[in-house]
Amino acid sequence: MKTELPKRILALDGGGIRGALTLGFLEKIETILREREGNPHLLLCDYFDLIGGTSTGAIIAAGLSIGMSAGDIKELYLNIGDKIFGEKYSFFKHPVKRMKAAYSFEPLERALAEVFGNITMGGDEIKTGLCVVTKRADTLSTWPILNHPKGKYFKYNKNMLLRQVVRASAAAPSYFMAQQIDVGDNQIATFVDGGVSLANNPGLQLFLIATLKEFPYRWRLGEDNLSLVSIGTGTYTKRYDAKKIAGKNLLGWAQMIPELFMEDANYLNQTILQYLSNSPTARRIDSEILDLKDDLLTEKPALHYVRYNVLLEENELNGLGLNFNQKQLESLRKMDEAKNKNTLYDIGSRAAARFIKPEHII
């Protein structure tokens, strides 16, 4: 009797320039799969049935979905990182724009246009299931924009330019201006970064999309039926000076909003997905509930789930053979320090070599 292959999902977090860290994990996964399948040209879009991402993860997910290799994505990302976070608005030359965003959106839009051209969400150029997570600011709703032809809103989604959808997902408040898109039915919608939602880590969102009956996939539950690989962009233990936080002004709070959302989103997603699975990569959520190894929400695991991320902390990085002082660590943790792109990629590569095991990828 022929055994049906599990449905496979790849979920990519947001995190600004720290997305470079993700690339090391993707290259390792691609290498494992190519060796396993005996196919040196295998692409991640050939293996995963659904690839989704938020913000910087959406850029990478979209690239993978159109048939770019992990190496192609690396070259692209390391090339455009300086451009995306390189052109700041000046208070003197662009006072109105600078009050709305820190960086010009034009370099990002040019880079996306070069890669995705006029590909639409319904275009045949997209070779696998794709989900781009963004936030519709004018309705306060999280939008997972799908390319599935049986999706409820595909008749509207299919004509959206992929580059505009990705740009919408990456429009981090205070970093870039919002993106407006014609979403059909005589509506112009305003979108901001998908990270300003519970889906900056889109793993749980993609699990719901894959299994809930109101979405078009309706894949079967079970660790032999459904596999989810989730990749982060680095995290760290956050603790700020209480007096300084209390004294923040409006701009200070606005700049901190993405971080506040991403921290909660990340741990909520991890908690629920570890609660639904016997994850071989389960990490401690916090000092109270630990890693949930002794907890399972359902009678049997609902999915096979692995999560790869790196703690941007001295101890973990030392374990990877790296040594950074406190000033360097603080710089690596920022989402807009483009100068760190190559270092972040190196961290991701080292972490992938240490943490990813072939048996994790089913």
Side-chain angles (χ1 to χ4, degrees):
M1 183 176 180
K2 185 177 179 181
T3 303
E4 185 177 346
L5 292 174
K7 295 298 184 181
R8 299 158 174 144
I9 305 169
L10 177 62
L12 306 174
D13 285 20
I17 199 64
R18 295 206 319 252
L21 192 151
T22 302
L23 305 175
F25 286 110
L26 292 175
E27 283 193 314
K28 179 65 174 178
I29 292 170
E30 189 176 74
T31 297
I32 288 172
L33 294 176
R34 286 178 172 182
E35 291 175 353
R36 179 189 296 170
E37 301 295 325
N39 178 3
H41 304 294
L42 182 142
L43 300 169
L44 294 180
C45 68
D46 300 327
Y47 189 80
F48 288 97
D49 302 286
L50 175 60
I51 301 176
T54 302
S55 191
T56 191
I59 298 174
I60 298 171
L64 293 174
S65 77
I66 64 171
M68 296 178 74
S69 69
D72 292 334
I73 298 286
K74 180 187 77 173
E75 295 303 317
L76 164 70
Y77 206 90
L78 297 184
N79 180 50
I80 68 174
D82 293 325
K83 300 174 184 177
I84 295 174
F85 292 105
E87 191 175 319
K88 277 194 172 185
Y89 284 127
S90 165
F91 276 114
F92 300 103
K93 293 182 179 180
H94 307 286
V96 176
K97 289 181 177 179
R98 185 63 182 86
M99 291 299 292
K100 295 181 179 180
Y103 293 93
S104 169
F105 60 85
E106 293 173 356
L108 173 58
E109 290 191 344
R110 286 195 298 268
L112 294 176
E114 288 176 11
V115 177
F116 300 115
N118 291 320
I119 297 173
T120 62
M121 285 297 295
D124 293 336
E125 298 90 344
I126 302 176
K127 304 177 186 301
T128 190
L130 174 65
C131 175
V132 175
V133 181
T134 186
K135 179 84 170 184
R136 184 170 173 179
D138 55 305
T139 61
L140 305 184
S141 52
T142 302
W143 275 39
I145 300 178
L146 307 175
N147 71 325
H148 196 297
K150 292 185 179 180
K152 284 185 178 181
Y153 299 102
F154 182 71
K155 64 180 179 180
Y156 303 122
N157 297 349
K158 67 179 181 180
N159 295 319
M160 294 180 184
L161 288 171
L162 177 58
R163 57 184 164 87
Q164 288 188 335
V165 173
V166 170
R167 158 77 170 89
S169 181
S174 81
Y175 288 95
F176 298 106
M177 290 185 186
Q179 171 77 26
Q180 290 195 314
I181 298 179
D182 183 343
V183 295
D185 202 23
N186 298 314
Q187 292 188 60
I188 301 294
T190 297
F191 292 93
V192 293
D193 195 300
V196 191
S197 73
L198 290 178
N200 181 66
N201 170 346
L204 179 60
Q205 179 72 66
L206 291 174
F207 171 73
L208 296 176
I209 286 167
T211 58
L212 293 181
K213 290 182 179 178
E214 293 304 315
F215 287 106
Y217 290 97
R218 302 179 184 181
W219 290 336
R220 288 191 303 151
L221 295 172
E223 61 182 342
D224 295 327
N225 302 320
L226 188 63
S227 172
L228 171 61
V229 176
S230 173
I231 304 178
T233 59
T235 188
Y236 56 97
T237 303
K238 300 171 179 67
R239 184 178 293 276
Y240 296 99
D241 184 280
K243 290 183 178 179
K244 289 183 179 180
I245 288 288
K248 276 188 177 292
N249 58 23
L250 288 174
L251 179 59
W253 281 113
Q255 291 174 331
M256 198 173 180
I257 283 173
E259 183 180 18
L260 291 170
F261 274 100
M262 285 190 288
E263 184 73 357
D264 282 346
N266 177 32
Y267 284 104
L268 176 63
N269 275 267
Q270 284 185 244
T271 300
I272 295 176
L273 288 168
Q274 287 182 195
Y275 198 11
L276 288 167
S277 65
N278 284 327
S279 176
T281 61
R283 279 204 175 195
R284 192 176 86 154
I285 301 300
D286 58 36
S287 60
E288 189 161 35
I289 64 174
L290 303 180
D291 63 6
L292 285 85
K293 277 289 190 182
D294 296 322
D295 293 286
L296 186 63
L297 179 61
T298 49
E299 183 177 347
K300 295 181 179 180
L303 75 162
H304 174 76
Y305 167 65
V306 291
R307 168 77 174 172
Y308 301 115
N309 206 357
V310 181
L311 282 173
L312 297 175
E313 303 277 3
E314 185 176 0
N315 287 342
E316 180 142 334
L317 295 176
N318 283 346
L320 299 177
L322 297 166
N323 184 26
F324 299 105
N325 59 39
Q326 190 58 37
K327 184 177 180 180
Q328 290 171 321
L329 282 175
E330 290 173 2
S331 177
L332 286 171
R333 294 165 179 172
K334 292 180 180 179
M335 293 188 292
D336 60 342
E337 286 283 10
K339 67 181 182 182
N340 294 325
K341 59 184 183 178
N342 290 293
T343 302
L344 288 162
Y345 165 70
D346 182 46
I347 291 171
S349 295
R350 289 170 181 253
R354 180 178 179 184
F355 297 135
I356 298 180
K357 296 183 178 2
E359 59 268 25
H360 291 173
I361 314 300
I362 68 170

